[in-house]
Amino acid sequence: MSRQGLYNVLEDLTGAGLIRRIEPAGSPTRYELRVGDNNHHLVCRQCGLIEDVHCATGVAPCLEPVGRTGFAIEKAEITWWGLCVRCRREAPQ
């Protein structure tokens, strides 16, 4: 399979709601199988490790924006950035 063919399949699976695309800033696009809830992510800014942060299933979004936006909110995507346990342990004190 060509690289373009793979990207086409990933796009089709995303469009069908079978996988979810996540795009942390400065990181390559990633795909995950969790699509039935409104989970968020922790990203280590040193090694790039990404971990799920669970949210209440069936509740979307988890957060409400302040003020009137006129938007019909469908979901929220939150990314927390920091250092994972391993990188914090390896960092000079």
Side-chain angles (χ1 to χ4, degrees):
M1 174 181 278
S2 70
R3 184 175 291 190
Q4 185 58 50
L6 175 60
Y7 286 125
N8 290 344
V9 169
L10 290 170
E11 191 62 35
D12 289 344
L13 291 171
T14 302
L18 299 173
I19 62 174
R20 180 183 314 183
R21 177 180 45 239
I22 61 171
E23 302 176 77
S27 298
T29 300
R30 300 180 188 209
Y31 295 87
E32 61 184 7
L33 297 174
R34 277 188 77 159
V35 294
D37 64 356
N38 198 32
N39 73 307
H40 306 301
H41 300 94
L42 293 163
V43 180
C44 180
R45 56 186 169 78
Q46 185 166 323
C47 72
L49 174 72
I50 297 178
E51 291 188 7
D52 284 337
V53 175
H54 304 290
C55 189
T57 300
V59 177
C62 295
L63 305 173
E64 293 289 334
V66 176
R68 296 181 184 193
T69 63
F71 279 78
I73 306 295
E74 297 170 349
K75 70 177 185 171
E77 293 182 9
I78 306 298
T79 303
W80 288 275
W81 296 86
L83 294 177
C84 68
V85 172
R86 189 186 79 208
C87 290
R88 285 185 21 230
R89 241 188 317 230
E90 294 173 359
Q93 298 298 325

